[in-house]
Amino acid sequence: MNATFLETVMHDVAVWTLPGNDPRVVGIARDHVAGHQAGHPGHDSARRVVSELVTNAHIHSRSGREGGLIGVGVAIRRNGDVSVIVSDDGPAEPHEGERVDYGRGLFICAYFGHIVIEEEPDGCQVFTVTIGAQEEDK
């Protein structure tokens, strides 16, 4: 995908790289998205989605381990839709004695919008949730 294509589809994009093992990362990501989207109709929904996705990356991926990173992006599309994008370093093996628990985070994200999950060749995962412009905050 080239920059020209992105420019025709998106009109406002912001991207941050955050330390995945910092327990404050969820709040930091939520504040970044909130600051970038102030006044947009999907503001609250985007904040909830980024909270769920970053929590999942922090807890369930290698991003939550020492040196791990979480990528966070938000894009307002020309049609008014908002895409929240979170990338992580790929799934982590559970620690000894750790309970493997799969919660409702992705189901919650799907409630707010259309979710796409991609795995990169290096094992990193990218989660994109697009919230429709016509959707009022839920």
Side-chain angles (χ1 to χ4, degrees), residues 45 48-57 59-60 101-113 115 117 127 129:
S45 296
R48 290 179 182 154
V49 165
V50 80
S51 292
E52 292 296 334
L53 293 177
V54 172
T55 297
N56 285 353
I59 293 172
H60 300 295
D101 188 6
Y102 297 98
R104 296 176 289 258
L106 293 179
F107 292 111
I108 291 169
C109 290
Y111 170 76
F112 289 104
I115 186 167
I117 304 168
F127 301 82
V129 178

Side-chain angles (χ1 to χ4, degrees), residues 27-50:
I28 293 167
R30 188 175 43 244
D31 290 347
H32 282 329
V33 169
H36 182 75
Q37 286 206 267
H40 190 279
H43 177 264
D44 288 337
S45 296
R47 288 180 65 234
R48 290 179 182 154
V49 165
V50 80

Side-chain angles (χ1 to χ4, degrees), residues 2-93:
N2 63 39
T4 304
F5 171 77
L6 286 177
E7 290 167 2
T8 63
V9 177
M10 311 289 183
H11 78 86
D12 196 357
V13 178
V15 178
W16 304 274
T17 301
L18 305 173
N21 66 336
D22 184 339
R24 301 168 299 165
V25 71
V26 175
I28 293 167
R30 188 175 43 244
D31 290 347
H32 282 329
V33 169
H36 182 75
Q37 286 206 267
H40 190 279
H43 177 264
D44 288 337
S45 296
R47 288 180 65 234
R48 290 179 182 154
V49 165
V50 80
S51 292
E52 292 296 334
L53 293 177
V54 172
T55 297
N56 285 353
H58 174 73
I59 293 172
H60 300 295
S61 80
R62 291 190 306 266
S63 293
R65 307 288 164 87
E66 188 66 36
L69 298 172
I70 297 174
V72 177
V74 62
I76 301 173
R77 297 172 174 264
R78 293 221 179 263
N79 66 1
D81 292 356
V82 175
S83 291
V84 174
I85 304 107
V86 173
S87 64
D88 65 35
D89 293 336
E93 292 296 320

